[in-house]
Amino acid sequence: MPVIVLLRHGLSSANTAGILAGRAPGVSLTEDGVRALEDTLRMLPRSDFSRLLHSPLTRCAETAAIAARFAGFGTTEVAEDFIELDYGDWTGRRLEDLVTTPEWETVAQRASQMRFPGGESITEAADRAVAGVAGLVAELRAVEEAKREAAQASAEEAGKDGGDLREWAMVVSHGDIIKAIIADALGMPLDDFQRLSVAPGSFTVIDYTGRMPVMTAMSITAAGLSVSGVPGGGGLA
């Protein structure tokens, strides 16, 4: 019965500058981004998690460190599955320039067909992120099963119920990576994933308890849309 909280990194210097950061080094959270993130983390539906996995990029490592002040995590690790898309030659360019390129229509309308020049395809990024979540869910289910067996043995001796055995984990990642995970959970074609938007510093909750995932919250922030220049906090940065 695992539950995954997807936390997008807080507002970064690239977000405020309108730059497609990608995997460029030196992109950190802004002071406003840190404050907004802290406010949002106070709204988390859970204060203890089995695991925290985060993209290796600086803005996600910073976000994970801040999250650790507001919740407890059994283990914390860097996870390459959840690193930002490799935007190749587009890395570091201004979004206002990129939207004028012929390739932008493919990004917006046929995402599954887009490979960034000199970089990764959106499909490849989606596949690794979805596989990363699937692996995490499988691991959490194994832990739950072990706890369930131990609780049953204990309950037989004590005559009590085992209580809530659900395992929660948090993944700190990037906008398009989180959108790809959400699209998969909703059974949405990747070509439609630009209909989704997750704000910087927001969290999304997906419950993997049943036969199909259920999204119980999406793009939650304490500040609403005030930390983003686009409705819902969209964009590739």
Side-chain angles (χ1 to χ4, degrees), residues 78-100:
V78 174
E80 293 286 344
D81 286 338
F82 304 116
I83 194 173
E84 178 64 291
L85 263 155
D86 180 356
Y87 293 113
D89 298 342
W90 284 26
T91 301
R93 294 181 60 184
R94 297 187 62 82
L95 288 167
E96 65 181 13
D97 296 330
L98 292 172
V99 297
T100 66

Side-chain angles (χ1 to χ4, degrees), residues 164-217:
D164 184 5
L165 303 178
R166 288 185 301 173
E167 294 288 314
W168 286 59
M170 179 181 288
V171 172
V172 180
S173 190
H174 307 267
D176 277 351
I177 300 301
I178 292 174
K179 286 162 55 180
I181 294 169
I182 294 171
D184 176 75
L186 295 178
M188 175 186 293
L190 189 59
D191 283 343
D192 292 335
F193 97 135
Q194 299 292 18
R195 299 184 182 197
L196 303 171
S197 191
V198 290
S202 70
F203 67 83
T204 294
V205 183
I206 304 178
D207 188 334
Y208 287 87
T209 296
R211 296 181 61 184
M212 62 183 67
V214 175
M215 188 174 68
T216 61

Side-chain angles (χ1 to χ4, degrees), residues 90-152:
W90 284 26
T91 301
R93 294 181 60 184
R94 297 187 62 82
L95 288 167
E96 65 181 13
D97 296 330
L98 292 172
V99 297
T100 66
T101 64
E103 295 92 344
W104 190 261
E105 183 179 352
T106 303
V107 172
Q109 303 293 334
R110 300 181 300 280
S112 67
Q113 300 177 34
M114 180 63 189
R115 175 178 292 279
F116 293 94
E120 189 176 26
S121 75
I122 295 178
T123 295
E124 289 169 341
D127 286 347
R128 63 171 164 79
V130 169
V133 168
L136 176 58
V137 168
E139 292 173 10
L140 295 178
R141 283 180 173 156
V143 172
E144 287 177 350
E145 183 59 29
K147 288 171 57 177
R148 189 173 297 109
E149 292 176 357
Q152 287 174 348

Side-chain angles (χ1 to χ4, degrees), residues 8-9 11 14-16 18-20 87 95 104 174-176 179 193-202 218-219 221 224-225 227-237:
R8 184 179 176 186
H9 65 77
L11 193 73
N15 293 134
T16 57
I19 298 295
L20 184 60
Y87 293 113
L95 288 167
W104 190 261
H174 307 267
D176 277 351
K179 286 162 55 180
F193 97 135
Q194 299 292 18
R195 299 184 182 197
L196 303 171
S197 191
V198 290
S202 70
M218 177 177 165
S219 193
T221 67
L225 303 181
V227 296
S228 172
V230 213
L236 296 167

